[in-house]
Amino acid sequence: MSNIPPVDLAQQYKTIEAEINAAVLSVLASGRYIGGNLVESFEQQFASYTGVSECVACNSGTDALYLALRSLGIKSQDQVITTPFTFIATAEVISAVGATPVFIDIDPETFNLDLKQLEAAITSKTKAIIPVHLFGQPVDMTRLMAIANAHNLAVIEDCAQATGAEWAGRKVGSIGHIGCFSFFPTKNLGACGDGGAVTTNDRAIATQIRRLREHGTSSRYYHEATGINSRLDSLQAAIVQIKLRYLDTWNAQRSEIATRYQDLLSPIPGIILPQASIGGKSVWNQFTIRVISKETEAPRDKVRSQMQEKGVISMVYYPLPLHLQPVYQGLGYKIGSLPAAEQACREVLSLPIFPELSIEQQQQVVYALKESLTVDS
Ligand SMILES: *Cc1c(COP(=O)(O)O)cnc(C)c1O
């Protein structure tokens, strides 16, 4: 049996090869590589998919978050509350605009922000909250918006891992004031390179983000603000436009795979499975189990390397929470400050999940996991 990778992007390409090739060749032949109709039509399609009036495409999910913060005027002295259990980009952009990230702990069941701890973290300097719909599982946006509105705070949803996910019947990215998406190749809607988008129902915010992504320009060579260069190029727009038509099918396949994992893995001791549905609709960017740690040891890494010997590549997202990263030493957090996030970092293991994963491959993953757990105990 051949190795099972965590994702298989080449296999996905094969399923839509003819369409992608034709679209790419037509962009190459057009001589129009930046901006243009393809970017505009993608923005319209993505706005309508997400259920918002405005979409601004940009160069990455990181830039989407950065532009969102800039459009709200968030700057030095301001605080932005977010989760320590996410990819660095979520907090990095807060620092990039000169503001301070404030981390609150996670809910161990969902791996998302623990909303019970949110209000206590709000100060007079708090300007915004960035919830992350981690691994594709939506945050309880009803509760989060109620708290944010009561304190007059902006909400920027980090939807990088959750394109197509829903909370209370609404797509993520349409519930907060701004939604930020990544089209990094391994996300649910992935380009063949970098890409991202911002969604909002606020026209003024969209206009400001359009200006900032293009050097602070609304009229060429006249600059009203210090912007950046963050455009989605036409080739990537052509590609994500095609892939958007398949996204719901791919997300449904991910969901089937997740359900099958639940069935195949449910009676196994030593691990905790992600909840199938804790409100909302997950799009399963990751299927992340916990390998329960004991008082003196965390067996996760051993399980991972034993699985690898059996040809199954699992991943650790994330091994170190953001509040303990060297870059954030100055913020004053210590080991033990945010225990649920720290425990997650010791225990999480993401199993291969991608729409094309076959039943046979999944059985191989389950077999490798079971064997690796037995060896360990
Ligand atoms: C991938 C990711 C980002 C950044 O997106 P890029 O397109 O890689 O810049 C931000 N936040 C989260 C949670 C992510 O997973």
Side-chain angles (χ1 to χ4, degrees), residues 59-65 85-92 132-135 158-162 180-187 193-196 285 318:
N59 189 250
S60 68
T62 305
D63 280 0
L65 290 161
F85 192 57
T86 176
F87 181 57
I88 183 69
T90 313
E92 188 179 31
V132 180
H133 306 296
L134 198 73
F135 304 148
D158 183 338
C159 308
Q161 300 183 10
C180 296
F181 292 83
S182 165
F183 306 132
F184 185 79
T186 62
K187 313 289 180 169
D194 276 311
N285 183 251
Y318 297 89

Side-chain angles (χ1 to χ4, degrees), residues 3 305-312 364 367-368 371-372 375:
N3 276 9
S305 62
Q306 274 156 7
M307 286 178 76
Q308 189 155 352
E309 278 169 30
K310 296 178 176 59
V312 174
Q364 196 183 332
Y367 174 77
E371 291 286 301
S372 305
V375 172

